[in-house]
Amino acid sequence: WSHNFEGLESGCCETGTAFVTFTASDECGNMAYTSARFTISDDIAPTFSTPDDIIIYTDENCEYNASIEITGDATSESDNCCSELNATYSDVVEQGQCPGEIIINRTWSLMDECGNRAPSQLQVITVKDTIAPSIVCNDITVALNADRSYTLTEDDKIALFTIGADNCSSDEDLDINISQEMFDCSDLGENAVTITVTDGCG
């Protein structure tokens, strides 16, 4: 017997089909034929590994870089038949617990050329703001009232300190604490007053 198989008609990756005719003959020259279509298929999904969860930080403009050069790329992409593999991702961006915090849910996926898809994997990228707001303080002089006391006014506070813009928090998100706002005769002379400005991310 003999056959006419010469190779597969190309399919995806290393798969394909072949229509093969078999011929059987005896010593007297009698011949019989049969044929069949053979298909080599691939139904095994590829595998891969996602980068680890990561924390990145905003800059002075409250901007961040979440590219794969910073947050990591998929690795160990492997398949039984296909060699050209490239995992892709899609992001869902959510606001975090403060103005400068962002949560990026990055879903990675991988499909080979035969349409087999690996189970999706999740990478969580947390963007945080660790830049403090700025403040400039000035010395001021106040005089006690007739009742021998004095409470800082809004004009005094304007003269006492100036708050610079925060990289992520608006003015409404800033918390201002003045260590001492009321004075009496026991405070005559110089007093060290501490002004603390805290942004929305603490």
Side-chain angles (χ1 to χ4, degrees):
W1 67 273
S2 63
H3 61 79
N4 66 343
F5 175 74
E6 295 182 351
L8 295 174
E9 296 177 9
S10 181
C12 59
C13 302
E14 299 299 322
T15 69
T17 60
F19 189 78
V20 181
T21 298
F22 296 89
T23 302
S25 59
D26 62 18
E27 293 181 1
C28 294
N30 302 303
M31 304 180 71
Y33 306 91
T34 188
S35 59
R37 178 174 296 277
F38 293 86
T39 301
I40 308 300
S41 62
D42 169 27
D43 58 2
I44 297 177
T47 59
F48 70 105
S49 298
T50 58
D52 294 333
D53 295 346
I54 190 173
I55 297 175
I56 61 176
Y57 301 92
T58 58
D59 61 17
E60 62 275 6
N61 298 314
C62 204
E63 297 177 347
Y64 59 88
N65 182 358
S67 66
I68 60 175
E69 289 77 17
I70 300 297
T71 60
D73 198 357
T75 58
S76 303
E77 295 152 312
S78 178
D79 188 67
N80 61 325
C81 291
C82 300
S83 58
E84 297 295 327
L85 299 170
N86 184 33
T88 59
Y89 66 86
S90 61
D91 288 344
V92 175
V93 180
E94 301 174 353
Q95 178 63 50
Q97 297 181 350
C98 65
E101 184 175 277
I102 301 293
I103 307 298
I104 303 172
N105 293 301
R106 177 164 291 176
T107 301
W108 289 88
S109 59
L110 177 63
M111 183 173 66
D112 66 20
E113 294 180 19
C114 293
N116 302 304
R117 184 178 295 276
S120 297
Q121 300 184 43
L122 179 66
Q123 177 194 17
V124 179
I125 302 166
T126 303
V127 183
K128 291 193 173 185
D129 166 30
T130 57
I131 297 179
S134 61
I135 183 173
V136 176
C137 298
N138 306 299
D139 296 338
I140 65 171
T141 300
V142 298
L144 298 180
N145 297 323
D147 63 357
R148 300 176 183 177
S149 67
Y150 190 85
T151 301
L152 294 179
T153 65
E154 290 303 315
D155 288 341
D156 292 331
K157 295 176 183 178
I158 292 173
L160 183 61
F161 62 89
T162 302
I163 299 175
D166 186 67
N167 63 325
C168 293
S169 298
S170 64
D171 291 346
E172 293 76 16
D173 294 319
L174 298 178
D175 178 69
I176 303 170
N177 178 268
I178 302 174
S179 63
Q180 184 177 358
E181 297 189 43
M182 298 181 63
F183 303 87
D184 56 29
C185 290
S186 65
D187 299 308
L188 292 176
E190 293 185 354
N191 295 270
V193 177
T194 301
I195 299 106
T196 304
V197 182
T198 307
D199 67 16
C201 287

